[in-house]
Amino acid sequence: MTVRGLQIDGYGVCLPSTTVTFGAETRYRAGAPVEHLSMLVDAAGRALAAAGVGPNDIDCLIGATAGDVQPIPCTAALVQEQIAPEAQCAALDVNSTCTSFITALDVASRYLRDGEYRRILIVAGDVGAQFLNPEQRESFELFSDAAVAMVVSSPSNEDAGVGVVASLQQTWPRFAHETELRGGGSWLPGRDFTPETDGDYRFDMNGRAVLFSASRVLPGFFERFFAKAGTSVEEIDYVIPHQASRALPLIMRRIGVPEGRYANYLRDFGNMVSASVPFALARAWDEGKVGPGSRVLLCGTAAGLTANALLLQL
């Protein structure tokens, strides 16, 4: 299989200053929804600095957030307005909710392979805690807010083999309503909000149903993915899963990933929605668990129900 060349030139992370604790678990919470855009911009600036490039060196900016800053225009355009208003740069969003970063990385690798763009900035992050329902304790105590950005480009010739080895995404829409936020779009416009319909404008998750559904579909999904990639879980150096819930160790066992071979930051950081996977990747890189030469599997589930997997050769 031909690797779609892609290298990570730099990344940046932004966390809110406010934290809350639930027992031994720490969660990061933005003080207001307005912090969403400022955190994305901050993470983008950090990623550009780490990559040693300026905003005008980016020719495509991909927004990979589960929740938009506003319905129109796309979040990527609002970030571009802040960091490079005069740049000759495309701006677009992709959204597979919690796995949006994986989808964006997949899309970016195809743009780079085709020569459409040479350097791409991906921004992911959410302030999902602003939409939580305090009466749903499981989700209220699970989520954190964060933003992560990464600069990616085509690898130089001597780095041949670096990039996306294989990717697979699938959705099972019969489980679509197990995780949803119904209000705010055309189905339930904001103008129709009343105190009585408040629940429709807050995150709604049936955690038990989601776990059961994911447990049913993931073994077969990963069997197909490894067959497509021509590899096995034993040949992967490290797994970066979406930090979906406290059932993470159970899900990893179901797909054959032993303890110590996957990132688990749930206790200290929680589920960061679209920032979850890139945050775990950045942290694992900082801790020396992954680096140049590593074969890393990015994977996770998202509302839809969607499963996403991407094998990355660093």
Side-chain angles (χ1 to χ4, degrees):
M1 179 176 293
T2 303
V3 174
R4 298 196 298 273
L6 176 149
Q7 67 183 20
I8 297 174
D9 297 327
Y11 53 83
V13 173
C14 180
L15 295 175
S17 58
T18 301
T19 61
V20 296
T21 56
F22 300 101
E25 298 183 331
T26 301
R27 302 293 181 253
Y28 290 77
R29 300 282 171 88
V34 67
E35 289 188 41
H36 190 190
L37 180 58
S38 63
M39 289 197 304
L40 293 170
V41 170
D42 183 274
R46 293 171 186 264
L48 291 169
V53 298
N56 291 335
D57 295 318
I58 301 297
D59 47 17
C60 180
L61 200 162
I62 301 178
T65 64
D68 297 329
V69 172
Q70 60 187 61
I72 297 173
C74 65
T75 294
L78 297 175
V79 174
Q80 182 187 0
E81 178 190 27
Q82 297 294 313
I83 66 171
E86 303 301 326
Q88 295 182 347
C89 175
L92 63 131
D93 286 354
V94 299
N95 188 342
S96 58
T97 60
C98 288
T99 62
S100 294
F101 174 79
I102 302 177
T103 302
L105 203 61
D106 191 19
V107 170
S109 72
R110 299 172 191 275
Y111 276 140
L112 293 172
R113 176 197 61 191
D114 293 346
E116 186 73 17
Y117 304 114
R118 60 186 180 84
R119 187 175 289 114
I120 299 173
L121 173 64
I122 301 172
V123 293
D126 287 283
V127 289
Q130 298 291 324
F131 304 96
L132 295 178
N133 186 343
E135 296 180 2
Q136 291 189 359
R137 181 177 175 181
E138 179 184 9
S139 57
F140 188 75
E141 297 182 359
L142 176 64
F143 287 91
S144 277
D145 300 334
V148 183
M150 290 195 179
V151 176
V152 298
S153 65
S154 297
S156 55
N157 291 333
E158 58 266 29
D159 292 327
V162 172
V164 175
V165 178
S167 58
L168 182 65
Q169 182 171 319
Q170 183 177 345
T171 298
W172 295 264
R174 65 183 180 275
F175 306 125
H177 298 287
E178 293 175 354
T179 304
E180 59 183 345
L181 200 164
R182 293 174 290 276
S186 61
W187 183 257
L188 290 172
R191 70 183 183 209
D192 294 339
F193 173 84
T194 66
E196 290 73 27
T197 62
D198 180 70
D200 286 325
Y201 293 83
R202 293 184 180 272
F203 181 76
D204 186 16
M205 179 178 71
N206 184 335
R208 185 180 297 272
V210 171
L211 177 59
F212 179 71
S213 300
S215 298
R216 289 172 58 189
V217 303
L218 285 181
F221 170 81
F222 278 100
E223 183 178 341
R224 293 190 295 278
F225 171 75
F226 287 124
K228 181 180 181 181
T231 189
S232 66
V233 70
E234 291 79 16
E235 296 176 310
I236 292 171
D237 296 314
Y238 204 64
V239 179
I240 305 288
H242 170 45
Q243 312 289 290
S245 75
R246 298 174 182 89
L248 178 60
L250 171 63
I251 295 296
M252 290 292 98
R253 287 197 298 272
R254 287 293 303 270
I255 63 175
V257 182
E259 189 174 352
R261 291 268 306 283
Y262 64 89
N264 186 351
Y265 299 112
L266 197 69
R267 187 188 69 176
D268 295 330
F269 295 99
N271 181 331
M272 293 177 162
V273 199
S274 67
S276 184
V277 169
F279 178 85
L281 175 58
R283 193 161 184 85
W285 202 312
D286 289 341
E287 295 174 349
K289 295 175 180 176
V290 303
S294 298
R295 286 167 63 87
V296 180
L297 173 62
L298 311 181
C299 60
T301 56
L305 170 75
T306 291
N308 217 326
L310 183 147
L311 181 56
L312 189 63
Q313 179 70 48
L314 297 177

